[in-house]
Amino acid sequence: MPILNRRKFLVHGTAAMGALGLAQTMPAWARGGALARKGSDVLSGEHLTMTVADASFLTGTRHGPAVTVNGTIPGPLVRLKEGQNLVVDLVNASSEGTSIHWHGMLVPFLMDGVPGVTMAAVKPGETFRYEFPIRQAGTYWWHAHTLQEPMGHYGPIIIDPIEPDPFTYEREYVLMLSDWSPMRPMTIMKKLRVGEGYFNYNKTTATDDYPLSGADRRMWAKMRMSPTDIADVSGATYTYLVNGYGPDDGLELAFNPGERIRLRIINGSAMTFFNVRIPGLPMSVVSADGQNVRPVETDEFQIGVAETYDVIIEPKGVDAFAFVAEAADRSGMGLAMLTTRPGSRAAVPALRAPPLLTMADMGMTHGTGTDHGGSGTPAMDHSAMGGMDHGAMAGMDHGAAGSSMSMSGMNMRDTSLLPPNVKVGPGLDMVAMNPVDRMGDPGIGLDDVGHRVLTYRQLVAAKPNPDPRKPSRLKEIHLTGNMERYMWSFDGKKFSAVTDDPIRFAFNERVRVRLINDTMMAHPIHLHGHFFELVNGHDGYQPLKHTVNVQPGGSATFDLTANEPGDWAFHCHLFYHMHQGMFQVVTVRPLQEGAK
């Protein structure tokens, strides 16, 4: 089966407006079609059918267009068993092209569900069959790789293991976090391109009470940047959902005091980082991105878009606890109640004060990473070098010398710091001066909350890493953008400019990848078809992930064994960043005999 021309990325089937008449071609939601049900039904077995349809959705006072799979938002919970075979017939009863990407799952690349890379979008009225073996266990999710995703085309996946997990529990809940807007995705995208701060209702003003001095405010103004630019799309248009329920919809999760409960938490949102906590109740993190880790107790964690975390809790002592998923910009929250009896309620904490960006988010301080170089030039991030083959290190290009990091001499657009493969142009408006490893940071706004907050540094794989080889080379990739023009890219080149120049790895190559964030936004970077190991100081037990958050102005490093042949999407999982160009294709060659 031939690989599709990548220039057709995200091309959708569209209905013709003509002889059939306007009413017949309008989507179901505009004709007063079916109202989506909240919550997921369960699908299990070896042959499943998933039907996509236009719908409408109502939560709180907001009502608007939606897309359902099997009639619900989220779509069905797909419950599988490790080692089984799976056949899914995707039926497109909607008005637009569709697909399913099996996020975090190891599948043949032609089953990966990315229009323009591994398949064509399934046109209205057509059916596509996915078929592959289940090679893993854990908590994952599925979603469209089209404009239908933020409208409700997503759902959870739970794969039960052949061997029991190394922890016990009496009850479990799957909690899928998402964001929904009555605006259609193209409308949101247009507003962001016209004015990237359109949805930011937390901007500084002459009368605000942000702890910023006059000098601070002049500095930000001079740099043409905003210290409150935490999220592109906010609670001004989003309602934050837990299993399809808004904060006023009264989602309850029953428990018996003292029992151990496993919460499988999935961030299936389009654009929202969530800060998750249960006030008064510690959580023990036992899995990240579906892969078991050594248990680590915490009180709060930030979950980036497309990540999953499994935690164990033991509620007792009171009748109810509030499960709070607060948007990182503090513009709203998702909410559910853990209750011993129907109707019992815990106090819901007020939204915390909006956070502010800092010097570290500009890439101008040493952060909390492993790098402790001098302050006169950009310090080398030694976490990217540790454990590498000495020959590979000797051949590395460490880039140009830097400039002063003093406040008076800082230059946030010093392109001399960039390697020659990064394109300098209107799509790049910032260069991180000192992009140190920030995997020890808890996330924007969580460094001074007064309780324990999870960081990547605390994650340790439950089992030894499967590939003990040292990486043979270092691949650096810069995350670049122009926030005012809402342009996003890798290495200064948006996807439309590199469709015939993919990132190339040899089959079974062991490579270290360093992601350098030359923007002031966090980016959740996802590689399809593979797990990679975060280089976080736990040699031999580096945690496996499929998505990694790269903090503003900083860097993150992972080791990859490229053992899944094919063409794989590699992109920022912030939906509108991906669609505005922060997307690439990783190609692993040669293909193996019979690869499909």
Side-chain angles (χ1 to χ4, degrees), residues 295-368:
V296 53
E297 189 170 274
T298 191
D299 300 305
E300 185 169 7
F301 61 87
Q302 185 169 99
I303 183 169
V305 177
E307 290 189 301
T308 74
Y309 283 104
D310 291 23
V311 304
I312 301 292
I313 59 172
E314 296 185 47
K316 54 188 174 182
V318 296
D319 288 341
F321 291 90
F323 173 89
V324 176
E326 185 180 46
D329 67 344
R330 280 72 183 274
S331 64
M333 67 172 66
L335 183 66
M337 283 290 165
L338 290 152
T339 65
T340 56
R341 53 185 173 80
S344 60
R345 291 288 180 269
V348 177
L351 291 170
R352 293 174 289 193
L356 295 173
L357 296 172
T358 67
M359 298 294 287
D361 300 316
M362 302 180 201
M364 295 182 63
T365 70
H366 297 304
T368 58

Side-chain angles (χ1 to χ4, degrees), residues 274-295:
F274 289 103
N275 297 327
V276 174
R277 70 192 196 274
I278 307 174
L281 189 61
M283 301 175 285
S284 180
V285 178
V286 295
S287 179
D289 286 1
Q291 303 297 297
N292 289 339
V293 297
R294 295 177 186 172

